[in-house]
Amino acid sequence: MTTHSAPSTPTAAPGRSLIWAEEFNTPIAWGAKWTGDRSSAYRYCDHNPDDNKLDLLTPRCVTVSNGTATFTAAPAGRTLENGRQAWHTGLLTTEYSAEGFQVRTGDHVETAVRLPSGTGAWPALWTWKDGGNEVDSFEYHPDNPHLLELSNQVNPASTYHTDADAIGP
């Protein structure tokens, strides 16, 4: 389970203008602001069995309440092309949404996330466009609970940030 808690009033960083915010204090605007049932990052649109991925995108696996978005996973009762059991999982993306918001060079992105401890979780915040141009603000793997993976596929670079005092489930 990954959660996000946000302040009640979004504010821009000093010297910046706020152009987009999501505070998770109203029902998810599926189709308008968010899409949760497909991504061009997934070979089959709603799932991608490559690299032994098990997720099957299911919008009902994302709920909001009191400024928190909660993502859950549950067995899907379906076998994927990689021969493994699928799991209904949540995703929030602006790709394919009517609003179609995109992060651009120079934008400042800020999020607060509580990371899971369960095996098999893979929370991340990343950008993606046209089958590439990926920038991972972070990827987290519970088997390395004090490590964040940061990577830029646009200007190839990556680093691992380890901090037992700041990173953990």
Side-chain angles (χ1 to χ4, degrees), residues 55 63 82 96 141 148:
D55 47 336
T63 57
N82 59 11
Y96 304 121
H141 307 269
L148 287 182

Side-chain angles (χ1 to χ4, degrees), residues 96-112:
Y96 304 121
S97 70
E99 190 175 281
F101 175 78
Q102 295 179 25
V103 175
R104 291 178 169 64
T105 302
D107 285 354
H108 170 88
V109 177
E110 187 173 317
T111 186

Side-chain angles (χ1 to χ4, degrees):
M1 175 173 71
T2 303
T3 60
H4 164 87
S5 295
S8 58
T9 304
T11 57
R16 307 260 183 191
S17 298
L18 183 65
I19 58 168
W20 194 89
E22 175 62 84
E23 299 304 315
F24 299 112
N25 53 13
T26 61
I28 295 173
W30 293 116
K33 192 171 195 173
W34 294 108
T35 301
D37 62 349
R38 63 191 179 283
S39 169
S40 67
Y42 285 29
R43 181 163 41 132
Y44 297 104
C45 211
D46 67 348
H47 70 286
N48 182 9
D50 300 335
D51 299 324
N52 290 316
K53 293 181 180 101
L54 306 179
D55 47 336
L56 179 61
L57 300 181
T58 309
R60 66 178 157 73
C61 290
V62 183
T63 57
V64 296
S65 178
N66 299 319
T68 299
T70 301
F71 297 75
T72 59
R78 173 178 166 185
T79 301
L80 297 172
E81 292 82 357
N82 59 11
R84 314 244 349 241
Q85 177 184 331
W87 284 72
H88 291 294
T89 58
L91 170 81
L92 286 178
T93 181
T94 58
E95 182 181 34
Y96 304 121
S97 70
E99 190 175 281
F101 175 78
Q102 295 179 25
V103 175
R104 291 178 169 64
T105 302
D107 285 354
H108 170 88
V109 177
E110 187 173 317
T111 186
V113 179
R114 185 173 25 176
L115 300 167
S117 58
T119 301
W122 188 3
L125 175 65
W126 47 277
T127 65
W128 175 273
K129 183 178 182 205
D130 301 332
N133 301 304
E134 179 179 350
V135 176
D136 299 321
S137 296
F138 76 86
E139 288 188 32
Y140 178 74
H141 307 269
D143 54 335
N144 292 301
H146 303 297
L147 172 94
L148 287 182
E149 180 181 339
L150 316 166
S151 62
N152 183 338
Q153 313 288 328
V154 177
N155 296 314
S158 65
T159 189
Y160 294 98
H161 180 72
T162 303
D163 185 337
D165 294 326
I167 304 166

